[in-house]
Amino acid sequence: MQFWGLCYNYAETFKHNKVGVMEEPKNVKSERRPSCVRLKPRLQMLAHLVRPGVKVADIGSDHALLPIYLIQNGISPSVLATDVNRGPLENARANAKAHGVGSALQTRLSDGLAEVQAHEAEDIIIAGTGGELIAKIISAAPWLCDENKRLILQPMSRPEVLRAFLYRAGFWPLREEACFEGRRVYIAMQTAYKSGEKKACDAAYKYVGLLHLNKNAAAKEHLNRQLQSLQKKADALKKTNSEQAELSELEDIIKAIKAVLQNKV
């Protein structure tokens, strides 16, 4: 019996005993059913960016809950979960067995994309690490320069470094999302290679990206935090009479973010 994406209700197979507690009939064989994975907001946001029906590679998958979710819900027919350490892969395999996804989930020891072949994935997820490391992983895999591939990225820090790298390398931004998980704001990007588009990006774009198109509260909060950080840096430069060109660029970026927050762009 297939169970992907479904939650079962077995109440009709039970009956009440004399004290009103439901018990399983003696002639019904008990069977443990695979449970459905439920994702926290930041992983759910990534799942929404995956194209239905494509093969996926989740780089640095750790517990593999996102790959399992994609398989259970029929979003992806197969997922390759990789990690640079053996421990997380053991956890991933245990979770895959517990959730009954079978051979649809493969695990592999890999430093970034080093052990992943181009034909094995169409959507590539790289999340849970800094923007600089994500850029390094992408730059080491030239096969990603394919207009049919999609990169789904979630930088935990330095998103401006990642956006600048992607723009220079010819990766075109398609979507950006933001969400809250507890007090933290997470962002996610979907991007694809576009031949002939290699160029430097606008300084303000590095900090705003496509979040100005996303009107939710999390996107606004992320931009507010970026604004506060940049304002502190600008104030420090003013006090030290540092390089005027750097200060001028910062002030232009601050102005651009304020315009976004005031819905002027």
Side-chain angles (χ1 to χ4, degrees):
M1 179 186 294
Q2 291 187 344
F3 63 91
W4 311 135
L6 301 175
C7 292
Y8 292 92
N9 183 350
Y10 298 109
E12 66 274 10
T13 67
F14 292 80
K15 64 181 181 181
H16 288 85
N17 64 17
K18 292 180 180 179
V19 294
V21 177
M22 297 187 76
E23 61 180 13
E24 187 178 356
K26 292 181 174 59
N27 62 342
V28 176
K29 185 178 180 180
S30 178
E31 183 180 353
R32 185 180 295 276
R33 302 287 181 174
S35 60
C36 300
V37 165
R38 293 189 178 185
L39 299 178
K40 291 184 178 181
R42 80 172 185 92
L43 294 181
Q44 188 70 64
M45 179 169 59
L46 293 171
H48 286 160
L49 294 176
V50 174
R51 295 175 294 171
V54 303
K55 295 182 292 184
V56 174
D58 185 23
I59 309 306
S61 188
D62 195 10
H63 40 54
L65 293 183
L66 176 55
I68 292 168
Y69 177 91
L70 295 174
I71 295 166
Q72 284 188 333
N73 287 275
I75 298 169
S76 177
S78 65
V79 182
L80 173 61
T82 79
D83 204 280
V84 71
N85 296 308
R86 296 184 184 279
L89 292 179
E90 292 174 1
N91 293 335
R93 286 190 284 269
N95 282 332
K97 182 178 181 180
H99 291 285
V101 297
S103 61
L105 176 62
Q106 299 292 318
T107 61
R108 186 175 301 165
L109 191 67
S110 179
D111 185 359
L113 286 157
E115 304 302 326
V116 181
Q117 302 299 313
H119 69 274
E120 294 182 293
E122 297 157 274
D123 280 16
I124 296 90
I125 301 169
I126 311 175
T129 190
E132 291 168 311
L133 180 55
I134 294 175
K136 182 179 178 181
I137 291 171
I138 295 170
S139 64
W143 57 267
L144 294 176
C145 297
D146 179 339
E147 295 184 5
N148 295 313
K149 307 288 187 187
R150 295 290 182 274
L151 302 182
I152 298 166
L153 313 172
Q154 189 171 76
M156 308 301 275
S157 63
R158 304 302 299 274
E160 73 280 3
V161 172
L162 179 57
R163 289 193 189 99
F165 161 78
L166 291 169
Y167 216 81
R168 290 194 308 270
F171 289 91
W172 196 253
L174 300 176
R175 288 176 64 186
E176 287 200 28
E177 303 290 342
C179 74
F180 288 108
E181 188 172 305
R183 295 184 177 182
R184 184 158 185 175
V185 180
Y186 294 92
I187 63 171
M189 312 169 182
Q190 184 193 61
T191 184
Y193 183 75
K194 190 173 182 181
S195 59
E197 293 293 334
K198 295 182 180 181
K199 54 184 177 181
C201 68
D202 178 85
Y205 168 80
K206 294 188 297 184
Y207 293 89
V208 176
L210 297 183
L211 289 176
H212 65 291
L213 302 176
N214 193 322
K215 304 298 183 181
N216 69 25
K220 184 176 181 180
E221 179 62 21
H222 174 78
L223 292 174
N224 266 316
R225 293 180 185 183
Q226 292 281 71
L227 179 62
Q228 293 168 11
S229 177
L230 291 169
Q231 189 64 65
K232 288 181 180 179
K233 187 175 181 179
D235 291 343
L237 288 175
K238 289 176 184 177
K239 290 178 181 179
T240 58
N241 294 315
S242 297
E243 179 63 40
Q244 188 62 33
E246 183 181 0
L247 177 60
S248 179
E249 181 181 68
L250 271 177
E251 289 176 337
D252 287 344
I253 295 169
I254 290 168
K255 183 178 179 181
I257 296 176
K258 285 181 176 179
V260 168
L261 291 170
Q262 295 168 6
N263 296 318
K264 292 183 179 180
V265 295

